[in-house]
Amino acid sequence: MLIQRKSEIGAIQAVGENRLKPITMLDLKSEFSLFEDRVRTAIDEVLDSQHFIGGSHVGALEQEFAKQFDVKHAIAIGSGTDAILVALMACEISAGDEVITTPFTFFATAGCVHRTGAKPVFVDIEPDTFNLDPAKIQAAITSKTKAIIPVHLFGQCANMDAIHDIAKSAGLRVIEDAAQAVGATYKNRFAGALGDAGCFSFYPTKNLGGFGEGGMVTTNDDALADRVRQLRNHGQTDQYHHQFIGGNFRLNTMQAAILSAKLPQLDSFNTRRRAIAKLYDELLTDAPSVQTPRIAEECESCYHQYSILTDDRDNLRQHLTDASIGSGIYYPIPLHLQPCFQYLDYSEGDFPVSEATAKRILSLPVHPMLDDADVRRVAGCIVQHQSETIPAEATGRS
Ligand SMILES: Cc1ncc(COP(=O)(O)O)c(C=O)c1O
């Protein structure tokens, strides 16, 4: 009898463990199994060549990337951060200039503006796309403004037509922070081909992640491309002849070879992310207190993140954690409230949409290795949490 009960307990535990299989924000090991052979071959090629800086792998990645995203030039850079920095430098942004961007982004966007000597000027976001609100840009333009950096946050392009109209009439450069938007489109054109320059990140968690740091600058402007190429190599025009002060912004050969091996997989991964997002959209209609992301009609998101809004964010997050489901908060503190930007003299209340979003946002697992059952479990957990915490009449459910 006792033995039987023990085995029953074991079975129940097994089911319990099975039910609690962790659903993580990333599953890079499973992804790796899909292109492991290609990557190992690429790494071997680099090892055999003993050529670790520049070389044919870097050139090949640049050509493949430019072709895939329909842009004239792609210039491989050591990180997404340096891609933004070098694009700003190539546009000759420097001390005394102002650059408009969003406070609701990863730090690097505004950090790079500061590092050129220019001043970051923040403009609030739209409440449903989380991207720069074009209606608020004009008021932030001064005689010192030189550029706008729209960030295609979570994989959805900003409202580029409206931003271009403003930039054109004020004579401003547009530098896309496309770090999260590789493969995203706006009016059927790819992110990175929509402004004067586009800046990508290949940080390992990105939709196209390297095995270390990596980035890319894209542009259709020949002169800008030449300038970025020179700046990434200490402003060198000929060997040991330095026309400008640049830096070491080069992508290493090993990363280039790995990224080339991974690039063919990107399309199917992004397609899977879109299918997951669609399923969340459908399932979360059963949780009306949760606001699902709005994708503008002219955009196709690559869903770097699938981010919902809810007033009960922290409790919901704990509920998901208790069910072994990962989630993320991108970003908890808007940049105008970061201590390092105190000198800009912003205060709480200046960008109310960004501030409210930072308190309510929660990103759910959306990586391409999730199956539909995983997505149903995440959505089910959210619906269950809502039914336990919010009275049915408040949500309008019967
Ligand atoms: C919006 C945004 N901008 C810039 C970056 C900087 O890229 P990296 O981490 O490759 O330097 C990132 C990624 O981390 C990002 O998400």
Side-chain angles (χ1 to χ4, degrees):
M1 187 64 183
L2 187 63
I3 291 169
Q4 193 190 342
R5 292 201 64 172
K6 265 192 176 165
S7 70
E8 275 172 15
I9 290 166
I12 290 164
Q13 277 174 344
V15 171
E17 278 160 18
N18 191 31
R19 210 182 294 136
L20 287 181
K21 180 193 88 164
I23 298 179
T24 50
M25 287 296 277
L26 288 166
D27 186 358
L28 297 184
K29 280 190 181 168
S30 300
E31 283 184 28
F32 182 50
S33 67
L34 300 183
F35 42 72
E36 179 170 358
D37 291 348
R38 285 204 306 275
V39 167
R40 289 196 188 277
T41 305
I43 290 173
D44 277 345
E45 277 171 26
V46 177
L47 292 179
D48 289 344
S49 76
Q50 287 292 301
H51 199 147
F52 299 114
I53 307 293
S56 62
H57 283 100
V58 176
L61 173 68
E62 292 177 337
Q63 278 181 18
E64 290 153 9
F65 198 88
K67 187 163 175 240
Q68 186 151 334
F69 301 113
D70 210 9
V71 63
K72 199 163 173 194
H73 304 277
I75 303 133
I77 301 291
S79 70
T81 303
D82 280 351
I84 299 169
L85 183 62
V86 77
L88 286 163
M89 290 168 77
C91 290
E92 297 181 77
I93 307 294
S94 60
D97 296 338
E98 293 179 2
V99 176
I100 290 173
T101 194
T102 156
F104 194 67
T105 176
F106 179 64
F107 177 78
T109 320
C112 289
V113 173
H114 171 96
R115 287 172 64 198
T116 63
K119 180 178 160 192
V121 174
F122 295 121
V123 165
D124 214 349
I125 56 168
E126 297 172 329
D128 49 2
T129 67
F130 315 126
N131 280 330
L132 205 50
D133 186 344
K136 295 180 180 152
I137 293 177
Q138 195 64 52
I141 295 177
T142 72
S143 58
K144 295 178 180 170
T145 311
K146 291 283 155 45
I148 305 174
I149 309 182
V151 179
H152 305 322
L153 203 70
F154 304 147
Q156 171 169 216
C157 291
N159 183 344
M160 293 304 286
D161 278 357
I163 290 170
H164 274 304
D165 286 349
I166 297 163
K168 204 167 165 198
S169 66
L172 309 179
R173 294 282 205 171
V174 176
I175 298 172
E176 299 171 70
D177 182 339
Q180 303 185 3
V182 65
T185 62
Y186 175 85
K187 296 193 170 175
N188 296 318
R189 287 162 58 216
F190 285 105
L194 306 168
D196 291 289
C199 307
F200 292 89
S201 164
F202 304 133
Y203 187 78
T205 60
K206 294 292 193 275
N207 292 32
L208 178 64
F211 291 4
E213 308 282 356
M216 188 75 81
V217 171
T218 50
T219 181
N220 286 313
D221 179 328
D222 296 343
L224 210 55
D226 284 348
R227 187 80 160 193
V228 171
R229 283 197 185 94
Q230 288 165 353
L231 286 166
R232 84 169 154 182
N233 199 15
H234 294 292
Q236 189 170 277
T237 40
D238 288 307
Q239 199 173 27
Y240 305 129
H241 288 74
H242 301 267
Q243 193 96 27
F244 324 100
I245 296 181
N248 175 356
F249 300 132
R250 298 180 297 254
L251 180 73
N252 73 68
T253 312
M254 192 75 87
Q255 288 308 325
I258 291 165
L259 288 161
S260 276
K262 289 189 68 177
L263 188 58
Q265 197 87 42
L266 178 68
D267 224 13
S268 67
F269 275 4
N270 280 350
T271 301
R272 178 66 194 143
R273 285 173 183 267
R274 287 180 190 119
I276 292 167
K278 189 162 173 275
L279 188 53
Y280 273 135
D281 285 348
E282 285 162 20
L283 297 170
L284 291 175
T285 54
D286 287 340
S289 71
V290 160
Q291 187 182 319
T292 53
R294 182 180 81 83
I295 304 301
E297 219 174 283
E298 55 272 26
C299 290
E300 192 174 40
S301 176
C302 66
Y303 286 101
H304 176 57
Q305 300 294 346
Y306 182 93
S307 303
I308 59 171
L309 293 176
T310 172
D311 291 339
D312 198 25
R313 191 262 314 273
D314 294 338
N315 286 328
L316 173 60
R317 189 171 198 213
Q318 187 57 53
H319 184 71
L320 290 169
T321 305
D322 293 344
S324 300
I325 295 170
S327 60
I329 297 177
Y330 313 111
Y331 296 93
I333 305 170
L335 297 187
H336 66 288
L337 301 179
Q338 296 286 353
C340 65
F341 285 133
Q342 251 180 13
Y343 77 95
L344 294 172
D345 265 346
Y346 291 114
S347 43
E348 196 151 0
D350 283 347
F351 304 106
V353 183
S354 297
E355 290 166 27
T357 304
K359 291 190 180 102
R360 299 179 68 225
I361 201 148
L362 189 67
S363 298
L364 306 178
V366 71
H367 66 76
M369 305 313 288
L370 295 172
D371 59 29
D372 285 2
D374 295 327
V375 179
R376 286 180 194 285
R377 196 176 117 203
V378 177
C381 202
I382 294 170
V383 172
Q384 180 209 13
H385 175 74
Q386 176 175 300
S387 67
E388 284 170 6
T389 53
I390 302 175
E393 58 276 18
T395 66
R397 284 180 313 127
S398 56

